[in-house]
């Protein structure tokens, strides 16, 4: 029914009502009686032994309630922060995960690492107390350079050569052989710059402990409250899961950085029982820069082997990935299973070999940031392909097209462990070429040159693996948790519906999309569906939102639960219509039987389920509420073509993006408006990486791009209007045919921008971000 | 401490606040107007934008004491479901928000921008809003929303 | 962070040398200096209030004179903490060249900052040091120029 609000309609978002009126409820908006305030004391040294910490002056500071150090947590057997994905090295040995106490005990390993916390009656009192903590350190030389980290001083006792693992994927012998046969080899040395996620809402936590029920309640800015609860229970030893209630209310953006379990919420929830009062912490921006997990930060050497005719024969990639000082929650999986597995891209490259070593440095931990491994993989593949086309003097679009996996090749097994289920890469490329007016580029370029400017065009034909993930595949590869999703569809007596999901919305618009899905399937008004998320006591379980998985996995679980509702409702309807279950049809909210004008509405059946006068109680339980857990059979594979056109001012080196086209295949789309919005946001972050953003530490380990004065966030006037469209090959293995759209923009855009800039400048490579200065220097040098 | 009397969303408040209390803090903590958000500590993100005597200002750049005698309008004071301000309406219609955190400041800045401008084009909106960060939308739909609201204000 | 410079002081070398070691004179010449205490022949403790961009703090500095060759050269080893604002440490090599009634003073400074200072102030520190240096020499030179 309801085409205006059903699947495929651009329904306006219901959650907006609170956000546009300032009545959203974010963690820092929540205050509870008797609450205290926590301030963390953070290391200003990148690497040092802690000689002593004296809290006595802090404790006598007016308004200070308590002050704790790492040893206090250790005394209570608070566990280390774990890394949840075990990666194995080439030789079969396990990765090395050094101990990561929430509050440093013996040494500090990055600027910003907390070594004490002070709790006060007010934030100011806690800050004053924090100032009064006296700590003595023995300062050591930090390890700052990724490329030479394995030859530097050892940071952790348990990690020789500062190497967590040395991983490989693919057939080395076959790949080496492909290179021997190659007519042409293109190689690139690539640095994928460190990024700082910068959700505009800083992380926050409010912990409280109810002594009577021995129950902890944690409100926090998490993308996956159930995972937070699991880690705090099973690894950190706060309390059993049943005694831990985690709520993620409205969350102001995450982009990956709020997936992880951090020191701060761990310490806050623990401290709430210690002081017997609720404890609240909200990061200021400086803390966010220092302590949110950062993203990317790879150094790579990559080579592509081609035949005379331009067929890709082999791809060889060697990457060193910076993990920062400790392994964050999912850090180990990012440069391996979310990176190496994507090296086939959209191409039939027959032999691929990827080596990744993960190293520690004295910097903030690095983990998943929008795209997580897949932007880095796309950057390698798409920079190489574009460079190869230029070296061979071939059209960049046609070289790609020649090597595309074709629609008839699916399912396609790549040499790097994935099986793509479906796709039509040429369809997206063709549509993008048309939007970008590819044929007119030469004349536009000539016009720019006449104006003394340089114009360039860059492509990126990306693929990603989303919808994490088949649990058994993930578990066999070292994941510490299953990766299904749960849903409950609860029909009320009057036929309205409440949906509980384990996915978590921090901007994705689930309250609208999921309601569209359920209202469409049940044929009930959109307004009659409410979506509840972000509360471990209201949803059965959940793995949260990341990896563009909400609709593909969470939506599929909701779809399954809704199907169960329909199945049961049909049984009830058959009884009420005096017919057989297999005779009942359900369409557009109406139950009918053949050769009869009798029918029932969904509401009538729901009412009968709860007021079971006319109900088959001997066969069925009353009520109408169903749960489902959905475990995907495969990843989903969104793919598309991004084309960026830039014009560069030769005098200043300033790059303007004059056109950006993104054509993506997300399979079926529930709400096109929301999907477009997701693409826009991803593009902004991908373009930001290419042009503006860079997390920089100096050689002493100080984060010198540690505020908005120095870390260049894209502003409105840094970005163009985007041209966004889709193609569709529906996913073959989930009930909705959906693929996921949250990360595509960030995955595809960066390579397109850098390909355009290098095209304009006629250089092989340029370091990111391509700031005016970098571009200007390239112009001067070339 | 300093005594301050000012009007917020048409209602007069007399408060005793710390000398160094920022308007952004006072709105959130003393008046429980949590729609005004704090996203940075260097006055760069714009999440705390409110109107002070009709002009858009970042509330973290104003001492509460400086607001004495002024009219402050926050996101809570411009409209509510059923009678939304045209800018609020346009943000919803054009999907100009995702996580919603920057939204109150963005809407208040956008209203200020439209009020102060004769007529804006896309570039004008982009330049005019460059004091406000949004990490979710890529600004594309925000520009559309502001251009659309301009017609109805 | 490294920089160097020189300044001409209209006074004889020994007089300049003595002034440079006098905690009271140093206190007068260093902008924001609240305390300057000589704790031993070659060690001083100072408190200096400074503003670096948005960071305002009082530094507690331990200043050690090493490699002292009176009255022509010495090196200052400085280590300063600014509470929540972070820390700074560095050294300054100073040498005096006797030109009779005038003395030429050379200085070469290198230093690092950490914590919030590095995060949000590092870009601004060059300017702050420039200002402090100018202030110092203006005040220092005034001791002689204003007397005459």
């Amino acid at each position: 029914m309801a085409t205006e609000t059903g699947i495929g309609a651009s329904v306006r978002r219901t959650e907006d009502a609170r956000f546009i009126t300032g009545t959203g409820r974010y963690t820092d908006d929540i205050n509870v009686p008797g609450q205290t305030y926590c301030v963390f004391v953070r290391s200003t040294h990148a690497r040092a032994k802690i000689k002593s910490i004296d809290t006595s002056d802090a404790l006598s500071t007016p308004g200070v309630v308590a002050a704790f150090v790492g040893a206090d947590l250790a005394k209570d057997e608070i566990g280390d922060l774990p890394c949840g994905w075990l990666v194995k090295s080439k030789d079969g040995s396990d990765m090395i995960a050094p101990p990561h106490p929430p509050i440093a005990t013996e040494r500090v390993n990055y600027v910003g690492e907390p070594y004490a916390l002070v709790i006060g009656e007010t934030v100011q009192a806690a800050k004053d107390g924090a100032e009064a903590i006296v700590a003595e350190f023995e300062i050591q030389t930090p390890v700052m350079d990724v490329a030479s980290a394995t030859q530097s001083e050892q940071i952790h006792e348990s990690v020789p050569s500062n190497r967590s693992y040395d991983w490989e994927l693919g057939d080395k012998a076959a790949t080496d052989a492909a290179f021997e046969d190659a007519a042409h080899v293109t190689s690139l040395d690539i640095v994928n710059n460190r990024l700082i996620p910068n959700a505009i809402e800083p992380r926050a936590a409010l912990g409280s402990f109810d002594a009577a029920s021995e129950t902890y309640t944690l409100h926090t800015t998490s993308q996956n409250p159930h995972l937070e609860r699991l880690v705090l229970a099973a690894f950190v030893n706060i309390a059993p899961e049943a005694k831990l209630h985690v709520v993620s209310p409205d969350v102001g953006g995450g982009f990956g950085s709020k997936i992880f379990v951090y020191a701060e919420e761990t310490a806050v929830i623990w401290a709430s029982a210690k002081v017997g009062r609720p404890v609240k912490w909200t990061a200021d921006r400086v803390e966010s820069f220092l302590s949110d997990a950062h993203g990317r930060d790879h150094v790579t050497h990559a080579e592509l082997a081609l035949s005379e005719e331009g067929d890709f024969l082999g791809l060889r990639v060697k990457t060193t990935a910076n993990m920062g000082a400790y392994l964050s929650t999912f850090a180990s999986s990012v440069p391996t299973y979310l990176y190496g597995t994507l090296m086939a891209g959209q191409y039939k490259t027959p032999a691929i070999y990827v080596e990744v070593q993960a190293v520690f440095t004295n910097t903030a931990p690095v983990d998943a940031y929008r795209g997580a491994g897949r932007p880095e993989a796309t950057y390698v593949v798409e920079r190489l392909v574009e460079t190869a086309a230029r070296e061979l003097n071939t059209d960049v679009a046609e070289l790609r097209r020649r090597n595309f996996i074709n629609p008839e090749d699916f399912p396609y097994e790549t040499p790097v462990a994935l099986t793509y289920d479906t796709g039509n890469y040429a369809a997206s490329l063709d549509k993008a070429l048309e939007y970008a007016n590819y044929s007119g580029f030469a004349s536009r370029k000539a016009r720019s040159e006449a104006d003394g400017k340089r114009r360039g065009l860059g492509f990126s034909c990306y693929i990603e693996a989303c919808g994490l993930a088949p649990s058994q595949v993930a578990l066999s590869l070292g994941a510490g948790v299953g990766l299904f999703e749960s849903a409950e569809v609860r029909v009320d007596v009057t036929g309205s519906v409440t949906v509980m999901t384990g996915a978590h919305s921090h901007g994705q618009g689930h309250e609208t999309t999921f309601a569209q899905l359920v209202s469409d399937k049940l044929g009930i008004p959109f307004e009659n569906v409410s979506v509840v998320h972000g509360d471990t006591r209201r949803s059965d379980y959940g793995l949260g939102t990341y990896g563009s998985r909400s609709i593909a996995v969470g939506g599929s679980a909701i779809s399954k639960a809704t199907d169960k509702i329909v199945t049961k409702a049909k049984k009830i309807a058959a009884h009420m219509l005096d017919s057989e279950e297999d005779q009942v049809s359900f369409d557009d909210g109406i139950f009918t039987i053949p050769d009869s004008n009798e029918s029932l509405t969904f509401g009538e059946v729901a009412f009968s389920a709860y007021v079971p006068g006319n109900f088959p109680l001997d066969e069925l339980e009353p009520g109408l509420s169903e749960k489902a857990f959905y475990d995907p059979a495969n990843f989903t594979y969104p793919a598309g073509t991004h084309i960026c056109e830039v014009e560069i001012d030769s005098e200043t080196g300033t790059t303007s993006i004059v056109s950006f086209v993104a054509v993506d295949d997300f399979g079926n789309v529930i709400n096109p408006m929301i999907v477009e919005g997701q693409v826009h946001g991803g593009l902004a972050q991908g373009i930001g990486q290419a042009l503006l953003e860079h997390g920089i530490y100096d050689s002493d380990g100080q984060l010198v791009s540690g505020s908005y004065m120095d870390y260049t966030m894209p502003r409105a006037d840094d970005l163009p209007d985007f041209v966004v469209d889709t193609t569709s090959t529906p996913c073959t293995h989930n009930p909705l045919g959906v693929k996921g759209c949250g990360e595509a923009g960030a995955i595809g855009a960066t390579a397109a921008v850098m390909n355009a800039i290098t095209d304009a400048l006629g250089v092989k490579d340029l370091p990111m971000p391509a700031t005016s200065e970098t571009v200007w220097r390239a112009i001067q040098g070339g | 401490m300093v005594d301050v009397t000012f009007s917020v969303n048409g209602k007069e408040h007399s408060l005793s606040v710390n000398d160094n209390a920022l308007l952004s803090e006072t709105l959130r903590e003393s008046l429980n107007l949590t729609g005004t958000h704090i996203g940075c500590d260097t006055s760069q993100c714009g999440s705390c934008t409110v109107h002070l005597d009709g002009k858009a200002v970042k509330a973290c750049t104003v001492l509460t004491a400086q607001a004495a005698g002024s009219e402050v309008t926050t996101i809570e004071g411009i409209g509510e479901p059923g009678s939304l301000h045209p800018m609020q309406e346009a943000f919803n219609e054009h999907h100009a928000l995702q996580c919603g955190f920057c939204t109150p400041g963005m809407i208040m800045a956008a209203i200020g921008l439209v009020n102060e401008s004769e007529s804006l084009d896309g570039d004008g909106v982009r330049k005019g809003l460059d004091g406000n960060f949004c990490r979710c939308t890529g600004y594309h739909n925000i520009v559309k929303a502001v251009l659309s609201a301009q017609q109805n204000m | 962070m490294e920089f160097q410079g020189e300044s001409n002081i209209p006074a004889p070398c020994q007089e300049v040398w003595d002034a440079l070691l006098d905690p009271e004179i140093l206190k007068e010449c260093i902008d924001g200096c609240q305390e300057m205490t000589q704790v031993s022949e070659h060690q001083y403790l100072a408190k200096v209030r400074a503003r670096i961009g948005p960071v305002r703090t009082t530094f507690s500095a331990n200043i050690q004179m090493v490699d002292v060759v009176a009255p022509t050269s010495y090196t200052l080893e400085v280590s300063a903490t600014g509470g929540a604002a972070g820390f700074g440490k560095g050294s300054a090599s100073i040498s005096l060249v006797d030109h009779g009634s005038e003395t030429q003073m050379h200085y070469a400074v290198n230093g690092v900052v950490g914590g919030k200072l590095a995060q949000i102030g590092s870009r601004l520190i060059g300017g702050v040091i420039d200002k402090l240096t100018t202030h110092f020499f203006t005040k220092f030179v005034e001791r002689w120029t204003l007397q005459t």
Side-chain angles (χ1 to χ4, degrees), chain A residues 228-249:
Chain A
E228 185 86 46
R229 184 182 66 164
L230 174 68
V231 170
L232 291 177
F235 296 92
V236 179
N237 305 325
I238 296 288
E241 278 179 280
K243 300 283 188 189
L244 263 169
H245 178 195
V246 179
V247 184
S248 293

Side-chain angles (χ1 to χ4, degrees), chain C residues 34-102:
Chain C
Q34 296 168 329
E35 285 173 33
M36 178 69 74
T37 324
Q38 188 163 12
V39 287
S40 69
E41 190 191 354
H42 288 143
Q43 192 186 5
Y44 302 81
L45 292 180
K47 282 202 190 307
V48 180
R49 190 156 172 76
R51 184 183 168 153
I52 297 140
V55 183
R56 206 180 321 199
T57 191
T58 303
F59 287 96
S60 300
N62 186 332
I63 304 161
Q64 191 86 41
M65 284 176 74
V66 296
D67 303 335
V68 181
V69 184
T72 57
S73 71
Y74 62 95
T75 296
L76 295 175
E77 302 277 3
V78 182
S79 140
T81 58
F87 66 87
K89 58 184 180 179
S91 65
S93 297
I94 288 151
S95 60
L96 303 180
V97 183
D98 188 348
H99 290 298
S101 62
E102 238 188 44

Side-chain angles (χ1 to χ4, degrees), chain A residues 314-386:
Chain A
L315 176 67
R316 224 164 19 198
V317 179
K318 196 176 168 83
T319 293
T320 303
N322 192 352
M323 297 284 100
Y326 300 96
L327 287 184
S328 171
T329 316
F330 289 115
S332 54
S333 65
V334 176
T336 51
Y337 294 110
L338 296 174
Y339 172 71
T341 53
L342 274 302
M343 288 298 172
Q346 301 187 354
Y347 312 109
K348 287 181 288 195
T349 316
I352 300 175
Y353 180 64
V354 187
E355 290 172 283
V356 179
Q357 58 171 347
V359 299
F360 293 106
T361 59
N362 291 108
T363 62
V366 179
D367 206 325
Y369 165 62
R370 200 169 196 167
R374 291 152 294 170
E376 296 92 315
T378 299
Y379 196 71
V380 168
V381 174
E382 290 304 296
R383 286 286 296 116
L384 266 180
V385 169
E386 192 109 345

